Each structure stands twice: as C-alpha cells, then as structure tokens.
Amino acid sequence: MEYIFEYEFEVRDYECDIQGIVNNANYQHYMEHARHRFIQNFGLDFAELTKENIILVVTKAELQYKKSLKSNDKFVCRMNIGKQGIRYIFYEDIYRLPDNELCTKGRFEIVSLIDGKLGLSEKLEKSLPFMKMV
Amino acid sequence: MEYIFEYEFEVRDYECDIQGIVNNANYQHYMEHARHRFIQNFGLDFAELTKENIILVVTKAELQYKKSLKSNDKFVCRMNIGKQGIRYIFYEDIYRLPDNELCTKGRFEIVSLIDGKLGLSEKLEKSLPFMKMV
Amino acid sequence: MEYIFEYEFEVRDYECDIQGIVNNANYQHYMEHARHRFIQNFGLDFAELTKENIILVVTKAELQYKKSLKSNDKFVCRMNIGKQGIRYIFYEDIYRLPDNELCTKGRFEIVSLIDGKLGLSEKLEKSLPFMKMV
Amino acid sequence: MEYIFEYEFEVRDYECDIQGIVNNANYQHYMEHARHRFIQNFGLDFAELTKENIILVVTKAELQYKKSLKSNDKFVCRMNIGKQGIRYIFYEDIYRLPDNELCTKGRFEIVSLIDGKLGLSEKLEKSLPFMKMV
C-alpha cells in the first residue's frame, strides 16, 4: 500500500498494561490522533468544520494486531485515504521505528453529517486526495 | 444472535470527549473488561492461566458504531463465543439501558499461546461453551 | 473523618499498568466520577448548571497513595465536602472492599465560575451540605 | 524555580473531555511520562532498576491547575528534583508553548523500595542531581 502521510509517536509507559505492552485500545487512540493531524495537513480545521455543521463520524473500526509495541518504543503511523460511496476509508498502519516492523493495521470507515444528514462535503471532496479504491 | 453472558456498565464522564459522547477507543476498553468477566464466569482465572504459561492474545478487533453513548447512560455488553480453527471469536454487543438500543457491535479474534506457541488450550476447550460457527 | 456519601467501583484490568496495579492517574478518574455522582445525589444536574452558566473548576488536586489497588479488587470512594471562602473542598477517600483497607486519600479544591467570574452559586449553596471546616 | 530538565508534548484530542480541555487526570499522565524521560536522561534505566529490585513508588501527588490546555496546544514539562529524608521530591511544571503560560504545577513525593524495604538507593543517589531543599 502506498502512503501519503505519516506521523511519529513514542510509547508512554501509562499506555502499557499488565503485560508490559501497549493496551489494545490505545492503538485506536494513536490512530485517532494521526487522523486529526492528517486532516490538518490537507488544510482542514475541525473547529471550522464544526462551525459549518460538518461532523465526521467513525462508523467502523478494524484493527489487526501483528506485533506489540512496548515501553520506550518509537513508531510511525502511515496513512492513506479512499472513498466508497459516501464513506471515507482511512488506512492507518503502525510501524515500529527504526526497524520498520509492522505492528498494527487499521481501517476506519467515516461518514460526514452535513447539518445532521449523511452526505458528502464539498470542502472535504476538494481538500482530501482520495486514492482510487479497488 | 444469541447471547450467553452479559455485563452491565455505566458511562463515566471522563470517558467522553469533545463532542460529549464516549470516545471510540473507550468501547474497546469496555469490551476488554467484559471479556475478562466472561472468562471468570466460566471458571477461568487469568493469574492461573498465566502461571501455566497460557497467554490469550487479541489478533483482530472489529467495532461497528451505531449509536453513541453519552454521560449518565447505563449499558450492557452482551456476549457469545465461537471458534474458527485455532482462533476464538468473541462477539460483544453493547446495548443502552433501559431502552435496549444497539450502540456498538464488536467482534474480536483471539488466539492462545501455550508456552509461546500458538495452540488450543485444553483448559479453555473444556471451560468455554463455544457456539457452532457458520 | 465523617463521610456523607459513598460510591462503589471495581478495578478494570486496562486501568492497571506495567506493575499490575492501578495507574496513579486513574485514581483521579475514579474520584472525578465519584464527585459527579455526589453532585447528582444532592439534586444538582451538570447540564442544567452549564445552561445557567455555572461552571465548576478543579484548581488543586492532592492524592496520597497508601496501598495499591489491583486487578479484581472492588472498592468504595467515601466523601465529604467543606467550604473555605469561595472554594469548595471535596474529600474523597478510597477504601478497598470488603476489608476496608484505606488505599488513597484525595482532597480537591473547586471553584465555581458564574458567568465567567469567580463566585459562590446560590444553587450550590442551597443544595450541598457543607461540613464545618476546622 | 530553576529547572534542570524539560520535555515537550502536544495535546491529543482524545485527552480532552466534554469541555474541550485536557482532562485533569491526564496532566498526571503527562507528568509521569516526563519523570520517566527525566530518569533516563540521568542514565537510569527502569528495567535495570527493577531487576536489581529497586522499585520507585509515588506516595503523594499535588497538582495546581492554573490554565487549561486544549486541542492543538503544544507544551513543555519543566522539572527539578529534591530530597527530604528518604523521599525524592519531583517538581514538574507545565507551560504552554510558545507563549510560556504556566498551566499546571506538580509536586510528587516518591520513595524507593530496595528489596521491599523503604530506603535510599546508592544508584539513585549517585545518578540524580538533587537540588538543595529549603
């Protein structure tokens, strides 16, 4: 998969649980933060979107856990975005650094509510570089 | 879907984010806690499993978000468990109470590592009432 | 110390960190949730307070950690409330159940902003049973 | 106060709660992570300390909340360390960047357990540059 954006993180100890590895749910937190930075990178601002009554909602989240991150690890979330009908699909894969080991694959379906109704936002259509979906 | 176990929760305000609804990742936390209570309900104890070198690992998590939970909501996580080869499949659906509105559907694939190797644990096989998988 | 309200909890595994005990910051989460239930117990509703432009803000938090809570523990947060000038002081002590071992003592200073200005709210004054402060 | 170490962070949206500001307990998470980086900066390694049976325990946490951090804010945690008898005192103050507005002051009392008993560790004594306590 080709990536068009990436964001780096480091593990914080409090994100690790009893087994000394990052808790499963925390990867969803990492990926949410990466999505927010992704959106900003393409000139969109959430505060502005909200004022214009454009709300982005996650309807589905799929995460595949391959290898665990642990205390002191650094990693990067590499991303791309596609579109299926009125759904935006975010691909977010987490690789450990510096060895680039794939740790977690994420796929998120997101819809936009314009004035409370499902629909495509012109602003998003213009700003985000959707890849062709197979 | 038929459920064989359920566990009740209430929303805590700190679990809600900027929009005043429970953050997406927090549903994974609820479902993890429900899985731990589920296991205990069928007589398994994690400390004991760990001592016997049986480690349960989540390899895949899928969550479908239908309706948001918010501050002051009470809810229940209803569950069933299946098996596909060496994978255990946990179905965990969250319903708001008391109106029983379906909020989130969860599906988790879990494998067991016996002495570090993927395999089926006799203890788990005997204790957990797997439903027939279609 | 005399307590006028209490709220019960159980530990969730994801709240525990690398040492298998509840992470320090999580006690602040428990105590925040207990404060919200305390307020409701005395007839106050946050949504209503916010609409009337009465905002409660924590200005100081002090926690003393005596004994750690761990996986499977149940506990209770016992509370009382005092007043010092324009500050409300919440006392929140966490005891493990059923043995009543004192785990954590908490003291929180809270002020109310009425229309953006520090002040005492008549509503809070009437509803909350402040103990005499020494 | 003089600082001898600092660590930078940025706010993640999931750390913000219903009011759109970082949840109170999350500052304790930030400060815990900063303490871990602080220790590493002076050549101490937790894994190694744990193997040598030296466990650091927080006995008291005090946080003063001056100004809230919000979504998109960057900040720095500036630190110093003192000693009172067998207690290590960590001072951790969070300043928003780039305007250097003081947001939160933290003070943490920490003791070390050597082989389960309270005591001072030679390793810590040699490695950490304690300031004179008034």
Side-chain angles (χ1 to χ4, degrees):
Chain A
M1 155 149 328
E2 185 196 331
Y3 301 109
I4 62 172
F5 179 79
E6 67 178 47
Y7 204 74
E8 286 189 29
F9 296 75
E10 62 177 24
V11 171
R12 299 173 184 175
D13 283 353
Y14 65 81
E15 297 165 338
C16 300
D17 60 20
I18 294 177
Q19 251 109 35
I21 57 178
V22 173
N23 180 274
N24 289 328
N26 225 90
Y27 292 86
Q28 239 186 293
H29 277 148
Y30 295 149
M31 291 172 177
E32 177 195 310
H33 185 55
R35 276 199 306 279
H36 291 194
R37 290 296 179 241
F38 176 97
I39 296 278
Q40 288 178 337
N41 181 65
F42 291 100
L44 292 171
D45 182 88
F46 274 101
E48 210 176 294
L49 289 172
T50 310
K51 279 187 202 155
E52 295 168 29
N53 234 346
I54 301 167
I55 314 290
L56 296 175
V57 177
V58 175
T59 53
K60 189 170 183 185
E62 295 170 70
L63 292 93
Q64 293 181 55
Y65 300 95
K66 309 273 180 190
K67 198 165 185 73
S68 305
L69 287 169
K70 57 191 205 305
S71 174
N72 283 327
D73 280 347
K74 292 192 199 308
F75 62 95
V76 61
C77 184
R78 296 185 171 124
M79 303 173 59
N80 208 333
I81 186 170
K83 198 148 64 85
Q84 276 178 352
I86 59 162
R87 289 177 299 175
Y88 303 109
I89 316 290
F90 277 81
Y91 294 89
E92 311 195 41
D93 298 336
I94 282 180
Y95 292 81
R96 187 174 61 196
L97 296 172
D99 68 342
N100 265 316
E101 178 88 26
L102 173 65
C103 292
T104 324
K105 291 182 70 61
R107 181 184 180 280
F108 297 83
E109 293 184 9
I110 285 168
V111 297
S112 53
L113 297 170
I114 322 283
D115 294 324
K117 287 196 169 67
L118 278 177
L120 290 174
S121 148
E122 269 195 60
K123 196 159 214 171
L124 292 167
E125 296 295 302
K126 280 190 306 183
S127 311
L128 300 174
F130 302 105
M131 64 182 186
K132 283 205 184 312
M133 298 291 299
V134 175
Chain B
M1 152 146 333
E2 185 196 333
Y3 301 108
I4 61 171
F5 179 78
E6 67 177 49
Y7 205 74
E8 284 188 30
F9 295 76
E10 61 178 24
V11 170
R12 299 174 184 174
D13 282 353
Y14 66 81
E15 298 165 337
C16 301
D17 60 20
I18 294 174
Q19 253 110 31
I21 56 177
V22 172
N23 180 274
N24 289 328
N26 226 90
Y27 291 86
Q28 237 185 297
H29 277 148
Y30 294 150
M31 291 172 178
E32 177 194 311
H33 185 56
R35 272 198 310 278
H36 291 192
R37 290 296 179 242
F38 176 98
I39 295 278
Q40 289 178 337
N41 182 65
F42 291 100
L44 292 172
D45 182 88
F46 274 101
E48 211 176 292
L49 288 173
T50 310
K51 280 190 202 151
E52 295 168 29
N53 233 347
I54 301 167
I55 313 291
L56 297 175
V57 177
V58 175
T59 53
K60 189 169 183 186
E62 295 171 70
L63 293 93
Q64 293 181 56
Y65 300 95
K66 309 274 180 188
K67 197 165 185 71
S68 305
L69 286 169
K70 57 190 205 307
S71 176
N72 283 328
D73 279 347
K74 291 191 198 309
F75 61 95
V76 62
C77 184
R78 295 186 173 122
M79 303 172 59
N80 209 333
I81 186 171
K83 198 150 65 85
Q84 277 178 351
I86 60 163
R87 290 178 298 175
Y88 304 109
I89 316 290
F90 277 80
Y91 295 88
E92 312 194 40
D93 298 335
I94 283 179
Y95 293 82
R96 185 174 64 196
L97 295 172
D99 68 343
N100 264 316
E101 179 88 26
L102 173 63
C103 293
T104 325
K105 289 182 71 59
R107 181 184 180 280
F108 297 84
E109 292 185 11
I110 286 167
V111 296
S112 54
L113 296 170
I114 321 284
D115 294 324
K117 286 194 169 66
L118 279 176
L120 292 174
S121 150
E122 269 195 62
K123 196 160 215 173
L124 293 167
E125 296 295 302
K126 280 190 307 183
S127 310
L128 301 173
F130 303 104
M131 64 180 185
K132 282 204 185 313
M133 300 289 301
V134 174
Chain C
M1 153 145 334
E2 184 197 333
Y3 302 109
I4 61 172
F5 179 78
E6 66 177 49
Y7 204 73
E8 285 188 29
F9 295 76
E10 61 178 24
V11 170
R12 299 173 184 174
D13 283 354
Y14 65 80
E15 297 165 337
C16 300
D17 60 21
I18 294 175
Q19 252 111 32
I21 56 177
V22 173
N23 180 274
N24 288 329
N26 226 91
Y27 291 87
Q28 238 186 294
H29 276 147
Y30 294 150
M31 291 173 177
E32 176 194 310
H33 185 56
R35 273 197 310 278
H36 291 193
R37 291 295 180 241
F38 175 98
I39 295 277
Q40 289 178 335
N41 181 65
F42 291 100
L44 292 172
D45 182 88
F46 274 100
E48 210 176 293
L49 288 173
T50 309
K51 280 189 202 153
E52 295 167 30
N53 233 346
I54 300 168
I55 314 291
L56 296 175
V57 177
V58 176
T59 54
K60 189 170 183 185
E62 295 170 69
L63 293 93
Q64 292 181 57
Y65 300 95
K66 308 273 179 190
K67 198 165 186 71
S68 304
L69 285 169
K70 57 191 205 307
S71 175
N72 283 328
D73 279 347
K74 293 192 198 309
F75 62 96
V76 61
C77 184
R78 294 184 172 124
M79 303 173 60
N80 209 334
I81 185 170
K83 197 150 66 83
Q84 276 179 351
I86 59 162
R87 290 177 300 175
Y88 303 110
I89 316 289
F90 277 81
Y91 296 89
E92 312 195 40
D93 298 335
I94 282 179
Y95 292 82
R96 186 174 63 195
L97 296 173
D99 67 344
N100 264 314
E101 179 87 26
L102 173 64
C103 293
T104 325
K105 291 182 69 60
R107 180 183 181 281
F108 297 83
E109 292 185 11
I110 286 166
V111 296
S112 53
L113 297 170
I114 322 283
D115 294 324
K117 286 195 168 66
L118 278 176
L120 291 174
S121 149
E122 268 195 61
K123 196 161 214 172
L124 293 168
E125 296 295 302
K126 280 190 306 182
S127 310
L128 301 174
F130 302 105
M131 63 180 187
K132 283 206 185 311
M133 298 291 299
V134 174
Chain D
M1 152 147 333
E2 184 196 332
Y3 301 109
I4 62 173
F5 180 79
E6 66 178 48
Y7 205 74
E8 285 188 30
F9 296 75
E10 61 178 24
V11 171
R12 300 173 183 175
D13 283 353
Y14 66 81
E15 298 164 338
C16 301
D17 60 21
I18 294 175
Q19 251 109 35
I21 57 177
V22 173
N23 179 274
N24 288 329
N26 225 90
Y27 292 87
Q28 238 185 295
H29 277 147
Y30 295 149
M31 290 172 177
E32 176 194 312
H33 185 55
R35 273 198 310 279
H36 291 193
R37 290 296 179 241
F38 176 98
I39 296 278
Q40 289 179 337
N41 182 65
F42 293 100
L44 291 172
D45 182 87
F46 274 101
E48 210 176 294
L49 289 172
T50 310
K51 280 190 201 151
E52 294 168 32
N53 233 346
I54 301 168
I55 313 290
L56 297 175
V57 177
V58 175
T59 53
K60 188 170 184 187
E62 296 170 70
L63 293 94
Q64 293 181 56
Y65 301 95
K66 309 274 180 190
K67 199 165 183 72
S68 305
L69 287 168
K70 56 190 205 308
S71 174
N72 283 326
D73 279 346
K74 293 190 198 309
F75 62 95
V76 62
C77 184
R78 296 185 171 123
M79 304 172 59
N80 208 333
I81 185 170
K83 197 148 68 85
Q84 277 179 350
I86 60 162
R87 289 177 299 174
Y88 304 109
I89 316 291
F90 277 80
Y91 296 88
E92 313 195 39
D93 298 335
I94 283 179
Y95 293 81
R96 187 174 62 197
L97 296 172
D99 68 342
N100 265 317
E101 178 87 25
L102 173 64
C103 292
T104 325
K105 290 182 71 61
R107 180 185 181 279
F108 297 84
E109 292 185 10
I110 285 168
V111 296
S112 54
L113 296 170
I114 322 283
D115 294 324
K117 287 194 169 68
L118 278 176
L120 290 174
S121 149
E122 269 195 62
K123 196 161 214 170
L124 293 167
E125 295 296 300
K126 280 189 307 183
S127 311
L128 300 173
F130 303 104
M131 63 181 185
K132 284 206 184 310
M133 299 291 298
V134 176

